[in-house]
Amino acid sequence: MGRRIHFVVDPQGWCCMGLIIFVWLYNTIFIPKVILFPHYEEGHISFVAILCYYFCSLFCIASLLRASVADPGKLPENPKIPITEREYWELCNKCNMMRPKRSHHCSRCGHCVRRMDHHCPWINNCVGEDNHWLFLQLCFYTQILSLYTLILDFCHYYYFLPVKKENWDTTSIEKMSNCCEDISRPRKPWQQTFSEVFGTHWKILWFIPFRQRQPLRVPYHFANHV
């Protein structure tokens, strides 16, 4: 079958797809600028990691756009039914058109779709016989890109060395009032600061909300840093 562009006029679908594109564009610009390029300049990661991120991002948006405009399997107005296959066709009670069995009528699109799975507002299109593979590609690359982004975020805050020296020990009020600029004091590791905030040295417990926080005893020379 030839490639046919399928465009659905649905404001709700436009909003959903616009939100997806906004999130994709934000991550594509923000993650490399804040994490990838700074750590590449300091030698923490290789250029291959940057290329892999952009490839995942490219494949994700490409599968999104293709799945949204691809014909899902729309039936023509006057389908030619082979005599040997008439028993596998039925009449749609909504549009009064003959359709193959396992086809369904989409109220959003206003027509029947072969092997329709569902109407997805995030791609503003039906998922049917001719674009189901594109939808699965979109799900796959979205998962890969999301997982890659989470790993980069985790490495940025936990594994990689700090990109630049920052004062991890000051509170938000102290930063706003600039009261610590002229205070000379030893700088402690960020792991120590987070341990004091969460009340435990066990980093896995930082992510558990079903526990009570206990004050953490800190060395004397760090006692005034929180």
Side-chain angles (χ1 to χ4, degrees), residues 43-207:
H44 299 158
I45 61 175
S46 66
F47 191 71
V48 176
I50 300 177
L51 289 179
C52 290
Y53 187 85
Y54 277 117
F55 272 118
C56 290
S57 181
L58 176 62
F59 284 11
C60 184
I61 192 63
S63 57
L64 171 64
L65 295 177
R66 288 206 60 190
S68 64
V69 299
D71 182 10
K74 177 182 178 181
L75 292 171
E77 296 182 359
N78 297 312
K80 296 181 180 180
I81 307 174
I83 299 178
T84 57
E85 297 181 4
R86 287 186 177 179
E87 59 178 317
Y88 302 108
W89 287 62
E90 61 186 6
L91 181 67
C92 176
N93 57 5
K94 294 183 179 179
C95 61
N96 295 322
M97 291 180 56
M98 295 299 296
R99 66 185 185 186
K101 291 183 179 180
R102 300 184 65 189
S103 301
H104 297 279
H105 186 90
C106 178
S107 58
R108 285 280 185 180
C109 298
H111 56 73
C112 291
V113 177
R114 297 189 312 275
R115 289 191 180 185
M116 176 181 171
D117 187 81
H118 68 286
H119 182 91
C120 180
W122 300 107
I123 64 173
N124 192 33
N125 199 359
C126 284
V127 178
E129 184 179 43
D130 291 345
N131 71 339
H132 202 162
W133 66 283
L134 291 170
F135 180 77
L136 293 178
Q137 281 189 358
L138 171 62
C139 295
F140 174 76
Y141 287 119
T142 300
Q143 293 291 334
I144 294 297
L145 184 61
S146 300
L147 180 61
Y148 198 0
T149 302
L150 288 175
I151 292 175
L152 289 174
D153 289 340
F154 177 80
C155 292
H156 177 66
Y157 290 105
Y158 177 77
Y159 182 75
F160 293 149
L161 296 175
V163 175
K164 60 181 180 179
K165 292 184 178 180
E166 296 180 355
N167 197 343
W168 292 84
D169 304 327
T170 56
T171 64
S172 299
I173 296 178
E174 291 171 341
K175 290 178 181 179
M176 294 177 63
S177 61
N178 296 322
C179 67
C180 297
E181 291 182 353
D182 299 329
I183 298 179
S184 175
R185 59 187 180 185
R187 189 182 304 274
K188 58 184 174 182
W190 67 268
Q191 294 94 334
Q192 176 66 28
T193 301
F194 274 87
S195 297
E196 296 172 16
V197 172
F198 287 98
T200 178
H201 288 293
W202 293 90
K203 297 179 178 61
I204 188 63
L205 296 181
W206 296 355
F207 304 93

